[in-house]
Amino acid sequence: MGRSKGDLVVFIGKRLLQLIPVLLGVVLITFIFTHLAVPNPCAAWAGPKATPSVIKGCEQFYGLNKPLPVQFEDYIVGLVTGNWGIDPLTHTAVLPSILAAFPATLELVLAALFLMVVVGIPLGVVAAASSGRVADHLVRIFYLSGWSTPTYIAGAVLFIWASKEFGLSGGAFSTITSPVPTITHMSVVDAILAGSPSATADALEHLVLPATALAFINMGVATRMTRTSMLETLPLEFVKTARMKGLTEFWVLYKHALRNALITTTTVLGLTTGAMISGTVVIESIFTWPGVGLYAYDAITSYDFNGTIGVVIFFAVVVVVANLIADVLYGLLDPRVEWR
Amino acid sequence: MASATASAARAAAAGSVEEEPSGSGVRSSVVLFYRILRANILTLVGFVLVVVVSVTALLVVVVPPITHLILGHSLSILPYPPLDTNAFPYYQAPSLAHPFGTDQNGADVFSNVVAALPTDLGIGFFVAGVSLVLGGLLGLVAGFWDTPGTLSGAASVTIMRLTDIFLSFPTLVLALAITATLGRGEIESEIAILATWWPFYVRLTRGEVLSIKTQPYVIAARAAGVPESRILFRHVVRNLLEPLAVYFTMDVGTVIVTYSTISYIGVGVPASIPEWGNLMYGYQDLLLTAPWTVWSVTGAIFVTVLGFSLLGDGLRDILDPRSRRIVASPGRQSSKLEPSS
């Protein structure tokens, strides 16, 4: 069958090797867009009224006055050695800032994924079980509504409403809560590790709304995939057999059909990472959530060249790795996939 | 000889696609479209929303020059000039004179929101349309001529590797980074979104081409000696149109959301141009004091994007051959979906 332990090593190793050309391509394309397509971004940033000396200074800072091959060499060497440049305003290094912020983003994305799974998948099952009837239409309206509401509106409305109703502040904790030691950079985990129930509750309070806003727009992905694959699974023989055995409808739907339908949903959820990360830039900037999305927002809106290039490459790497995980997970979950 | 191949191809085509027994191609597709709309109320709602929004956008653009030509002075379907500061008292709640109220600058919110419609809708159609053509062509090349070891095979591999790399970037983040590098402006943000948008069409088109290529009717046509160019245009391209049309319909809304997000973040369209993301950025702090401003912009985006999503989601049903047969044939199965008739 090709599903022994050795085959699994080959299966994962092959996919790791395939990462290398993709990552090289990501780096090259980022360089082309930021250096080649725009030979002198300094002129665009400084505006028409800037003095030549200001533009000169900016070029000097970013090394844009050097010949292109030298710039490319500097760029590659910097990336490989972990020197991703520094922010001209705060003089902090790019890569350490991104890495320190990443756990918070991961926490937010995982919370949103949890909501998508807990709410989205049962909705998909309900829609498939009542295909073409009222419940199906309602579910369809629900997930298309999520899709039609821009993340920034959902986020801004939720945040402004919650800050008035509950006095919710931005960030991962309230300022009045006594700070917990930063160990993992994930607010909820840190609060639990500190053994403080009040801090944990506070962290959860701050996590729920941004996670909801992030989950809402992507809810349709989980729901639609579950619905489609349930519709494909329900007419199959083993579902009929389960019905004939006299199992309850709940048991048939959730224990027999859904288990098989979930394989596709899991894979597709892994592939939504890109959309989720795009969402974090908007959501984190609205809720001032201390993650990479907020860092990206600050870098982009303050025209921090090094920071912008840094987050683009970092996020692309995250997406590539998430797709790899989804791919491997699919191979593990579906017994029909051979590990070659 | 020529007639023999033509009839063979026709027979092959008839075997897979349920064709209307009589009537011209255009008429039968109109009839099919009408049946699809009737079969599902939500699809019809989507269609109506898309038509209303598109006609309004067209009128906003077209009426002033035409009336200028005929009457000598321009009229507009907008009640007041957009973004006109200090024209009215501030923070007026919705009334007959101002259906969506006035904002913090004393401008009429209704005029602002409707004036932004042609910009946003135009960009939705433009970006999705260019991506459709560019990505569709690349996907067609990559899918149709993918024989390994040939020059075109190498081109196919190159296209797909490049597409994979572009698909690794989160769309919004790359688009934001490109606009931030290019500088603020309408054209700049369009270029930025386009640069991130086309790969989705390459992947979709190539997948469809690969599956169409192995269909029995294509194999039959090839066996009957139908020239490759004819197979490409009559069989492959024709069968691509439906899935691409569905994806394009849903995509117009997605482009609008992305584009307005870039403006909202503050690196897209300059604030002097009425655009929904810009308006929302200016209005968000009024949610508690003058909520009609926020809800007007939200409603406009929501209705527009939902219209395209509902229409596209409904059109998707025709992709499923089973539901297509039920919807398309006026015979005995039609009662399943049309209980009223």
Side-chain angles (χ1 to χ4, degrees):
Chain A
M1 254 306 272
R3 275 180 80 89
S4 67
K5 266 197 182 134
D7 291 326
L8 184 64
V9 173
V10 176
F11 177 77
I12 296 175
K14 239 182 177 174
R15 271 151 192 81
L16 281 174
L17 280 181
Q18 285 167 355
L19 279 191
I20 297 169
V22 174
L23 291 178
L24 285 177
V26 161
V27 169
L28 184 64
I29 285 172
T30 314
F31 180 80
I32 288 173
F33 271 124
T34 47
H35 290 73
L36 217 61
V38 192
N40 194 349
C42 285
W45 298 334
K49 286 176 192 160
T51 56
S53 67
V54 169
I55 296 176
K56 268 255 158 58
C58 166
E59 283 171 12
Q60 191 89 39
F61 184 84
Y62 289 112
L64 293 170
N65 47 357
K66 295 179 192 165
L68 265 182
V70 179
Q71 285 187 42
F72 188 63
E73 199 189 315
D74 290 353
Y75 171 84
I76 294 285
V77 169
L79 276 182
V80 174
T81 55
N83 172 22
W84 290 23
I86 54 167
D87 178 343
L89 287 177
T90 59
H91 296 285
T92 48
V94 171
L95 188 58
S97 309
I98 293 179
L99 289 178
F102 182 59
T105 297
L106 191 66
E107 181 180 34
L108 182 61
V109 169
L110 288 178
L113 268 175
F114 175 76
L115 288 175
M116 281 165 69
V117 166
V118 168
V119 181
I121 289 177
L123 280 180
V125 175
V126 169
S130 61
S131 166
R133 292 201 295 272
V134 177
D136 189 19
H137 290 322
L138 288 179
V139 169
R140 197 169 146 203
I141 290 177
F142 175 73
Y143 71 69
L144 286 179
S145 298
W147 189 246
S148 312
T149 312
T151 320
Y152 61 91
I153 294 187
V157 166
L158 267 179
F159 179 66
I160 292 169
W161 168 77
S163 48
K164 187 206 170 210
E165 289 292 316
F166 315 114
L168 182 88
S169 57
F173 289 104
S174 309
T175 40
I176 45 165
T177 313
S178 51
V180 293
T182 308
I183 304 162
T184 60
H185 288 273
M186 290 188 180
S187 59
V188 176
V189 180
D190 279 351
I192 292 172
L193 287 179
S196 155
S198 65
T200 311
D202 186 52
L204 278 173
E205 242 167 58
H206 282 80
L207 179 62
V208 166
L209 283 182
T212 308
L214 190 57
F216 186 48
I217 192 166
N218 295 306
M219 189 69 83
V221 179
T223 309
R224 180 184 283 161
M225 276 322 297
T226 311
R227 179 181 178 269
T228 314
S229 48
M230 279 295 277
L231 284 178
E232 281 165 11
T233 313
L234 284 177
L236 295 181
E237 297 295 329
F238 75 90
V239 179
K240 284 183 192 159
T241 313
R243 282 224 171 86
M244 281 195 288
K245 281 196 293 189
L247 298 180
T248 60
E249 193 60 20
F250 178 85
W251 204 260
V252 171
L253 283 178
Y254 286 88
K255 288 284 166 177
H256 283 74
L258 182 61
R259 268 187 78 160
N260 285 275
L262 271 186
I263 295 170
T264 344
T265 312
T266 312
T267 321
V268 173
L269 279 181
L271 298 178
T272 57
T273 323
M276 298 280 268
I277 280 174
S278 291
T280 61
V281 177
V282 178
I283 294 293
E284 288 184 6
S285 68
I286 291 171
F287 287 89
T288 49
W289 184 262
V292 191
L294 182 64
Y295 182 86
Y297 173 84
D298 288 340
I300 289 165
T301 50
S302 64
Y303 297 100
D304 166 13
F305 199 43
N306 291 332
T308 305
I309 295 176
V311 283
V312 169
I313 291 180
F314 181 78
F315 274 152
V317 172
V318 171
V319 172
V320 169
V321 171
N323 289 355
L324 173 91
I325 294 173
D327 201 19
V328 171
L329 212 58
Y330 182 75
L332 290 175
L333 286 176
D334 192 338
R336 287 165 299 188
V337 175
E338 290 197 11
W339 293 334
R340 288 277 160 82
Chain B
M1 185 61 201
S3 66
T5 51
S7 64
R10 180 166 299 225
S16 68
V17 182
E18 292 255 329
E19 281 186 336
E20 290 288 307
S22 62
S24 66
V26 176
R27 213 186 128 198
S28 67
S29 48
V30 169
V31 169
L32 175 65
F33 189 63
Y34 172 70
R35 290 215 182 95
I36 291 163
L37 290 185
R38 254 188 60 181
N40 194 319
I41 181 76
L42 290 181
T43 316
L44 185 65
V45 171
F47 179 70
V48 171
L49 287 178
V50 167
V51 169
V52 168
V53 163
S54 308
V55 169
T56 314
L58 208 63
L59 287 179
V60 171
V61 178
V62 166
V63 168
I66 289 184
T67 48
H68 186 77
L69 208 67
I70 300 171
L71 302 171
H73 60 277
S74 336
L75 293 174
S76 173
I77 68 159
L78 301 174
Y80 310 102
L83 301 179
D84 193 8
T85 48
N86 301 323
F88 304 102
Y90 305 160
Y91 305 118
Q92 294 285 298
S95 63
L96 277 180
H98 304 288
F100 293 172
T102 64
D103 62 13
Q104 76 276 29
N105 300 319
D108 179 52
V109 176
F110 179 78
S111 301
N112 285 354
V113 168
V114 178
L117 180 58
T119 314
D120 282 279
L121 198 61
I123 276 149
F125 275 113
F126 176 76
V127 171
V130 174
S131 305
L132 172 73
V133 173
L134 185 70
L137 282 176
L138 287 174
L140 192 62
V141 170
F144 197 73
W145 291 281
D146 68 336
T147 324
T150 61
L151 190 65
S152 57
S156 169
V157 171
T158 314
I159 292 173
M160 289 324 291
R161 287 294 84 78
L162 202 62
T163 306
D164 284 346
I165 294 165
F166 268 93
L167 286 171
S168 316
F169 291 104
T171 319
L172 180 69
V173 179
L174 183 60
L176 282 172
I178 297 173
T179 11
T181 325
L182 289 174
R184 208 172 169 172
E186 217 169 332
I187 313 265
E188 283 81 354
S189 1
E190 277 169 37
I191 293 173
I193 301 186
L194 262 180
T196 62
W197 221 258
W198 59 271
F200 296 97
Y201 284 88
V202 179
R203 193 172 58 176
L204 173 70
T205 312
R206 178 170 173 271
E208 290 291 332
V209 172
L210 288 181
S211 104
I212 294 169
K213 257 171 61 174
T214 57
Q215 292 292 317
Y217 61 87
V218 173
I219 296 167
R222 194 163 274 151
V226 177
E228 283 292 292
S229 60
R230 212 177 153 82
I231 291 179
L232 178 65
F233 288 107
R234 274 202 80 123
H235 297 292
V236 177
V237 172
R238 254 184 88 170
N239 285 297
L240 270 178
L241 296 181
E242 275 177 16
L244 283 177
V246 170
Y247 192 80
F248 173 81
T249 311
M250 299 205 65
D251 208 31
V252 172
T254 318
V255 174
I256 293 177
V257 169
T258 308
Y259 190 77
S260 66
T261 306
I262 294 178
S263 300
Y264 172 83
I265 284 181
V267 291
V269 181
S272 55
I273 298 174
E275 199 281 333
W276 288 333
N278 276 343
L279 290 176
M280 186 62 197
Y281 182 75
Y283 289 164
Q284 59 180 359
D285 295 330
L286 309 178
L287 179 71
L288 302 173
T289 49
W292 53 86
T293 52
V294 172
W295 296 125
S296 302
V297 182
T298 308
I301 300 180
F302 186 78
V303 163
T304 309
V305 180
L306 186 69
F308 282 98
S309 307
L310 281 175
L311 183 62
D313 201 45
L315 289 180
R316 190 194 302 270
D317 285 348
I318 66 172
L319 278 178
D320 181 359
R322 280 169 305 163
S323 60
R324 168 164 52 186
R325 206 174 299 131
I326 296 168
V327 173
S329 69
R332 57 192 161 83
Q333 279 178 307
S334 65
S335 57
K336 266 188 186 170
L337 279 166
E338 296 171 11
S340 56
S341 63

